[in-house]
Amino acid sequence: MFATVLPSEQIPNFLPDDLFEAIAALKKDLNAVILAHYYQDPDIQDIADYIGDSLGLARQAAATNAETIVFAGVHFMAETAKILNPDKLVLLPDLNAGCSLADSCPPDAFARFKAAHPDHVVVSYINCTAAIKAMSDIICTSSNAVSIVNQIPLEQPIIFAPDRNLGRYVMEQTGRELVLWDGSCIVHENFSEKKIVQLQIEHPEAETIAHPECEPPILRHADYIGSTTALLKYAQTSDNSAFIVATEPGIIHQMQKQMPQKQFIPAPPTQNCACNECPHMRLNTLEKLYLAMKHRTPEITMPEEIRLAALRPIERMLEMSV
Ligand code: 13P
Ligand code: SF4
């Protein structure tokens, strides 16, 4: 009698009754840490060891002693964790969890753009592929972009990639002229200015808080602009009890959990849809996270020369953002 060996994609994926318990057990077996971004499903946020913005997650990835990093976020975030931890197993629950902003900056076109500005320093937002990081001098996130640009000598011309909205915001905050790559995030470009103004009229007591990936007309209506962690901290320290939140609504789970007495109103998209939920982030589910840990795949890998070239600007960012 011969046993039938099934190809891996046909192995039935039986799920345990209690996924939370099963994930906790796998965490011990794998000596794993689960890092999650605020845009993940509430269940994933609830099981994570650390939830944070891109800078916080990069710092955690750089500091962890765990042997396995389960990254509940999008590909460029898990890739950053792998760049910092070449010897660790880095798992992403769904390998298709990409990013429209990272996709808006293809390496070939960016290499030509960079070649056209040979005397420029390249500051790239962390929301880009390892190939773009490898062509950059310094990486930044939404929480340190202004401070990083301010640390570059005034006479030094700068390319800022790939997010034109964050780039414009940094230009306003620093008074510097930046050469911008014309990329953007589909999620943050989808807020309706008209509907936000209507909400502000209906809720005069509410403050509007926004992520700098939003377009300038939305940012003009904001009382406070910051990274996801900065928005969360602002809501904690503000005396206000109501907020209109212009970023991916996944963060509202954390806001509501930490501040049950306050009200958080998601800023509406232009159409009647859930288009402000990041379709990439939401590809990860608790089930896929469990299966990734169980089968130790999908794993993030990359050529060593790209990893080494991408590591240098990430390390510069970490040094420049103490
Ligand atoms: P931060 O959490 O760093 O603010 O980034 C937001 C984002 O769009 C991540 O994809
Ligand atoms: Fe990319 Fe925008 Fe999704 Fe963030 S919210 S992962 S920038 S598509």
Side-chain angles (χ1 to χ4, degrees):
M1 197 68 157
F2 296 100
T4 312
V5 179
L6 291 172
S8 61
E9 66 275 14
Q10 287 179 30
I11 297 172
N13 285 320
F14 297 114
L15 292 173
D17 291 337
D18 189 334
L19 274 175
F20 284 86
E21 216 173 77
I23 290 170
L26 282 169
K27 226 173 75 169
K28 275 199 193 140
D29 293 350
L30 292 172
N31 183 13
V33 65
I34 302 177
L35 306 181
H37 190 266
Y38 293 116
Y39 298 164
Q40 292 290 280
D41 278 349
D43 276 351
I44 295 184
Q45 293 190 36
D46 289 346
I47 202 152
D49 295 298
Y50 175 85
I51 317 164
D53 66 1
S54 307
L55 180 62
L57 289 164
R59 281 186 169 140
Q60 287 293 319
T64 186
N65 290 322
E67 288 168 61
T68 303
I69 299 174
V70 184
F71 212 110
V74 287
H75 194 274
F76 75 80
M77 295 178 170
E79 213 173 41
T80 303
K82 183 67 183 180
I83 292 166
L84 289 161
N85 294 285
D87 300 328
K88 294 186 179 173
L89 173 67
V90 178
L91 299 171
L92 180 64
D94 190 321
L95 215 47
N96 291 319
C99 168
S100 65
L101 181 51
D103 291 346
S104 69
C105 193
D108 289 355
F110 189 68
R112 288 193 293 276
F113 186 73
K114 192 181 153 181
H117 303 88
D119 53 344
H120 286 52
V121 152
V122 178
V123 178
S124 294
Y125 187 32
I126 198 163
N127 298 34
C128 63
T129 59
I132 300 296
K133 288 185 176 78
M135 284 186 249
S136 306
D137 296 294
I138 314 170
I139 297 302
C140 70
T141 74
S142 53
S143 55
N144 61 20
V146 170
S147 148
I148 285 196
V149 167
N150 273 332
Q151 291 175 61
I152 298 171
L154 276 179
E155 63 283 3
Q156 172 62 60
I158 302 171
I159 288 177
F160 188 91
D163 188 17
R164 61 169 179 246
N165 292 317
L166 178 63
R168 276 196 213 111
Y169 174 72
V170 173
M171 280 170 69
E172 261 175 43
Q173 295 297 306
T174 60
R176 300 279 291 264
E177 214 27 70
L178 307 177
V179 175
L180 302 182
W181 178 263
D182 194 20
S184 63
C185 155
I186 46 164
V187 173
H188 286 88
E189 286 213 321
N190 215 344
F191 291 109
S192 158
E193 182 185 9
K194 196 168 151 210
K195 290 183 189 169
I196 289 177
V197 172
Q198 268 164 7
L199 273 178
Q200 289 178 328
I201 294 166
E202 285 162 31
H203 298 271
E205 76 292 359
E207 279 186 291
T208 300
I209 56 177
H211 194 279
E213 284 176 26
C214 294
E215 291 184 297
I218 304 297
L219 296 183
R220 275 197 287 277
H221 293 290
D223 299 294
Y224 180 77
I225 298 165
S227 77
T228 49
T229 296
L231 298 181
L232 191 64
K233 283 196 182 140
Y234 181 80
Q236 276 163 341
T237 49
S238 164
D239 290 336
N240 246 55
S241 61
F243 301 86
I244 297 166
V245 183
T247 191
E248 214 271 6
I251 195 167
I252 292 183
H253 173 64
Q254 220 38 243
M255 290 175 163
Q256 211 66 80
K257 208 168 151 180
Q258 295 181 19
M259 294 161 272
Q261 75 289 3
K262 296 193 177 185
Q263 185 190 11
F264 298 96
I265 308 159
T270 37
Q271 291 101 29
N272 286 332
C273 57
C275 336
N276 290 126
E277 284 188 4
C278 174
H280 311 289
M281 288 274 182
R282 302 296 176 130
L283 281 177
N284 293 326
T285 60
L286 200 61
E287 288 78 7
K288 288 182 195 168
L289 189 141
Y290 163 77
L291 292 170
M293 292 176 79
K294 185 172 174 215
H295 300 302
R296 301 166 61 96
T297 187
E299 181 190 355
I300 301 288
T301 57
M302 76 196 68
E304 182 62 2
E305 83 253 27
I306 295 275
R307 189 193 73 79
L308 285 173
L311 177 63
R312 196 180 35 88
I314 296 173
E315 284 180 338
R316 270 193 97 184
M317 168 185 81
L318 293 173
E319 286 156 19
M320 290 170 82
S321 43
V322 276

